[in-house]
Amino acid sequence: MLMDTNNSLPTNSINKGSHSLGRLFLQLRRLERQPQTFGKAGSLTPSEIHTIEAIGCEGGILMNELATSLGVTKGAVSQLVVRLEAKQLVKRSSYPHDSRAVLISLTDKGKEAYKAHEEVHVQFYDQLRAQLSQQEIEIFEKCIDKLNEFLRK
Amino acid sequence: MLMDTNNSLPTNSINKGSHSLGRLFLQLRRLERQPQTFGKAGSLTPSEIHTIEAIGCEGGILMNELATSLGVTKGAVSQLVVRLEAKQLVKRSSYPHDSRAVLISLTDKGKEAYKAHEEVHVQFYDQLRAQLSQQEIEIFEKCIDKLNEFLRK
DNA sequence: CCAACAAGTTTAGGAACTAAACTATGCTCA
DNA sequence: TGAGCATAGTTTAGTTCCTAAACTTGTTGG
């Protein structure tokens, strides 16, 4: 009865890209689950390395900012920071203007992990670039940006 | 002392794409966490809808196949299937050639969820396509495929 | 001064796994 | 044939990564 409620269009070609994108999501989902080792920092879970990435090498960041930047609750960040502090990748310091607030920043060891992770990203991307022409890269980046903008909504 | 150990290259342009890609990962990570409602099937968690997607509308699939297709252990699939069965989206039946095996297939309600989800995907992709030229789409899809291939390793 | 608010922390609980033990069936070959 | 091993699924205990909600402290505007 309801076989192919999909209507009219040459669905094949449309679905092809949608399907590739679906597979990409699945791959990333899988990838984003396994811990990795970065520099001397030892094995870090995906959340941990993302947190380090979000803190950044320069200056400190408030818990609140970190939470919105990562798109999680402040409770989640609080827990993450406890773990990272225990691993000595991150340190807390007080925020001059408001004694409730806590400034989070990377320790030297944390910065090392940051750099190592960034290095992995860049190398990965370099490998991808190596298989594409200059023009393709530009278009690809444009599309990724559009996609990002799109997902933000 | 160790400011910019990154060497020589015009790092900006390289990092730009790598950074966009990083943000995409984060966005997807966030997106892949919240449940959504599909058709009359009620609210489904990301894992649930992915499982339904992997089972597919035609015929049945074995637990084992499902596990490899989703990239998780059979234990994980087993648990998922219990939940989906309780929600009456999926049914088990016996596999003629091997009485140990279990064939999983979608119920009518499950198929509805499948279609609704597929519709969301296609619409999403259509919206993206609408902002790109034909040539850009082709290149984008090519890049996505390359990326997929790349992540599989 | 103090009520309302804001920054973080804590706690309980759920989702989504994994690894490993377990059950039950199927296969092989001496 | 049947002992031993492999294979299909299930179960269980434990982990990670969250969230929501209650709490603790500190800030601020009437």
Side-chain angles (χ1 to χ4, degrees):
Chain A
M1 273 61 189
L2 52 83
M3 352 176 2
D4 211 333
T5 358
N6 289 347
N7 38 29
S8 49
L9 299 163
T11 337
N12 285 338
S13 65
I14 293 185
N15 278 351
K16 199 250 166 196
S18 156
H19 184 246
S20 291
L21 214 49
R23 269 199 317 174
L24 180 61
F25 285 23
L26 256 187
Q27 299 260 27
L28 291 180
R29 184 184 172 74
R30 187 148 55 228
L31 199 142
E32 281 293 298
R33 237 183 284 130
Q34 31 206 165
Q36 264 189 275
T37 300
F38 295 104
K40 300 177 199 134
S43 178
L44 298 179
T45 67
S47 288
E48 288 169 351
I49 196 62
H50 278 137
T51 305
I52 287 176
E53 191 182 5
I55 293 171
C57 274
E58 21 266 338
I61 184 172
L62 298 180
M63 283 292 198
N64 235 341
E65 298 169 346
L66 198 47
T68 49
S69 155
L70 288 171
V72 297
T73 61
K74 55 212 175 103
V77 173
S78 196
Q79 295 168 41
L80 244 341
V81 167
V82 167
R83 272 216 319 265
L84 289 174
E85 207 180 9
K87 290 188 178 183
Q88 309 194 334
L89 297 170
V90 139
K91 59 177 184 284
R92 296 174 204 243
S93 42
S94 62
Y95 182 59
H97 310 305
D98 187 337
S99 69
R100 291 168 304 176
V102 179
L103 267 179
I104 309 298
S105 54
L106 296 180
T107 62
D108 286 348
K109 201 169 151 197
K111 286 179 189 172
E112 229 176 84
Y114 180 96
K115 306 257 190 198
H117 175 242
E118 196 180 32
E119 186 58 26
V120 169
H121 267 205
V122 169
Q123 273 185 24
F124 175 86
Y125 195 58
D126 272 358
Q127 279 182 33
L128 183 63
R129 284 162 62 97
Q131 303 206 8
L132 303 171
S133 75
Q134 185 57 39
Q135 189 211 16
E136 287 172 336
I137 292 167
E138 274 164 28
I139 291 181
F140 179 63
E141 289 182 1
K142 180 184 162 193
C143 294
I144 292 288
D145 283 342
K146 277 251 190 285
L147 192 52
N148 267 326
E149 196 183 312
F150 230 73
L151 289 173
R152 203 162 349 115
K153 66 96 226 278
Chain B
M1 274 56 191
L2 51 85
M3 351 175 2
D4 211 333
T5 357
N6 290 347
N7 39 26
S8 48
L9 300 164
T11 336
N12 286 337
S13 64
I14 293 183
N15 278 350
K16 199 251 166 195
S18 155
H19 184 246
S20 291
L21 215 49
R23 269 199 317 174
L24 180 61
F25 285 24
L26 255 187
Q27 300 259 26
L28 291 180
R29 185 183 171 74
R30 187 149 55 229
L31 200 141
E32 282 293 298
R33 234 184 286 129
Q34 31 206 165
Q36 264 188 275
T37 300
F38 295 103
K40 302 179 199 130
S43 178
L44 298 180
T45 67
S47 288
E48 288 170 349
I49 196 61
H50 278 136
T51 305
I52 286 176
E53 192 182 6
I55 293 171
C57 274
E58 22 265 339
I61 184 172
L62 297 181
M63 283 293 199
N64 236 340
E65 297 169 346
L66 199 45
T68 48
S69 156
L70 288 171
V72 298
T73 62
K74 56 210 175 106
V77 173
S78 196
Q79 295 168 40
L80 245 339
V81 167
V82 167
R83 274 219 314 267
L84 290 174
E85 207 179 10
K87 290 188 178 184
Q88 309 194 334
L89 297 169
V90 139
K91 61 176 186 286
R92 295 172 204 244
S93 43
S94 63
Y95 182 59
H97 310 304
D98 188 337
S99 68
R100 290 168 304 178
V102 179
L103 265 180
I104 309 298
S105 55
L106 297 180
T107 63
D108 286 348
K109 202 168 151 197
K111 285 180 189 171
E112 230 177 83
Y114 180 96
K115 306 257 190 197
H117 176 242
E118 195 181 33
E119 186 60 25
V120 169
H121 267 204
V122 170
Q123 273 186 24
F124 175 86
Y125 196 57
D126 272 358
Q127 279 181 36
L128 183 63
R129 283 162 64 97
Q131 304 204 7
L132 303 171
S133 76
Q134 186 58 38
Q135 188 212 17
E136 287 172 336
I137 292 167
E138 273 163 30
I139 291 180
F140 179 62
E141 288 182 2
K142 180 183 162 195
C143 294
I144 292 289
D145 284 342
K146 275 250 190 290
L147 193 51
N148 267 326
E149 195 183 312
F150 229 72
L151 290 172
R152 202 160 351 112
K153 66 93 225 294

